[in-house]
């Protein structure tokens, strides 16, 4: 009766604190941080209205994880998603490019998750793609040879995502073990 992704399973099997396997796989310290030292912001309406331009380095320095949504050609990054720690709801914020930096918000067309140019190439060249809930899960599946992607914007807006890179492919929907994906089961 346990749920989670490949990293959660590794932590459970090895008796490690949650997040240890993920941090190790992504080259981060395994000393667990329960929350960031200082929250950059919480994507409030006030913050969105300011449209402050952040550098990529600034976003990464104060985050738990940064997920790059490369375009399907692997040429540019139309969106990044930043996780600022743990908790429910998960403290994520999305950014779109503006000038030489990033501003809070989504691009006009939401991309599917391609975490690198190589990831985008694998999605372009495969016949079967697994759609999961979360970049972390898609990234974990890629590390074991499964071509996977995630939808930008979360579970509440799949109709706003550009699914065209998956046309003509076999698509497998892999639901999370949580209430958001109950409708897929």
């Amino acid at each position: 009766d346990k749920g989670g992704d490949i990293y959660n399973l590794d932590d459970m099997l090895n008796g490690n604190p949650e997040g240890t396997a993920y941090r190790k796989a992504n080259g981060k310290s395994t000393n667990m941080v329960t929350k960031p030292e200082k929250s950059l912001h919480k994507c409030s309406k006030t913050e969105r209205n300011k449209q402050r331009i952040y550098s990529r380095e600034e976003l990464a320095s104060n985050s738990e994880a940064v997920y790059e949504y490369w375009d399907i050609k692997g040429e540019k990054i139309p969106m990044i998603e930043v996780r600022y720690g743990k908790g429910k709801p998960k403290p994520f914020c999305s950014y779109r490019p503006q000038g030489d930096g990033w501003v809070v918000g989504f691009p006009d067309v939401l991309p599917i998750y391609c975490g690198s140019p190589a990831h985008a190439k694998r999605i372009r060249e495969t016949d079967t793609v697994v759609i999961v809930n979360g970049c972390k899960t898609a990234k974990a599946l890629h590390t074991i040879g499964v071509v996977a992607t995630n939808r930008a914007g979360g579970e509440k807006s799949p109709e706003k995502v550009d699914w065209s890179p998956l046309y003509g492919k076999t698509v497998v929907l892999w639901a999370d073990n949580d209430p958001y994906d109950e409708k897929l089961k």
Side-chain angles (χ1 to χ4, degrees):
D1 293 333
K2 297 284 183 181
D5 59 26
I6 193 169
Y7 298 119
N8 298 119
L9 180 61
D10 185 271
D11 288 339
M12 283 186 272
L13 291 173
N14 292 305
N16 292 326
E18 184 178 337
T20 302
Y22 174 77
R23 295 181 70 75
K24 189 182 296 183
N26 289 285
K28 296 189 176 205
S29 167
T30 54
N31 295 331
M32 298 307 293
V33 177
T34 55
K35 64 180 184 176
E37 290 178 22
K38 169 181 103 172
S39 179
L40 190 58
H41 59 76
K42 296 180 181 173
C43 293
S44 66
K45 285 184 181 181
T46 304
E47 194 64 39
R48 279 193 289 273
N49 291 337
K50 287 181 186 177
Q51 290 301 301
R52 178 168 176 245
I53 297 177
Y54 297 91
S55 71
R56 174 75 169 73
E57 294 75 25
E58 184 179 13
L59 295 175
S61 70
N62 196 32
S63 67
E64 178 76 20
V66 176
Y67 299 101
E68 297 174 337
Y69 280 73
W70 284 79
D71 70 347
I72 195 65
K73 294 179 182 177
E75 296 172 349
K76 60 184 177 179
I77 305 172
M79 186 182 114
I80 57 175
E81 189 173 74
V82 179
R83 182 171 182 166
Y84 289 104
K86 298 183 185 288
K88 301 251 185 226
K90 293 178 183 171
F92 280 101
C93 193
S94 298
Y95 297 84
R96 59 179 163 60
Q98 183 170 315
D100 291 335
W102 299 89
V103 295
V104 174
F106 293 101
D108 293 334
V109 177
L110 297 178
I112 59 172
Y113 174 68
C114 298
S116 68
H119 186 161
K121 181 179 181 187
R122 289 183 65 204
I123 291 173
R124 285 192 316 267
E125 295 177 352
T126 191
D127 293 332
T128 303
V129 177
V130 178
I131 298 176
V132 296
N133 190 2
C135 300
K136 181 174 86 168
T137 305
K139 190 174 180 180
L141 288 172
H142 270 275
T143 64
I144 61 169
V146 177
V147 179
T149 190
N150 173 51
R151 59 195 179 271
E155 65 280 337
K156 297 178 183 174
S157 56
E159 71 282 355
K160 296 178 181 176
V161 176
D162 176 13
W163 296 105
S164 64
L166 305 184
Y167 290 169
K169 299 182 184 300
T170 300
V171 174
V172 178
L173 300 177
W174 185 345
D176 262 359
N177 187 23
D178 65 24
Y180 296 116
D181 285 343
E182 280 298 316
K183 59 189 168 207
L184 295 176
K185 292 182 180 176

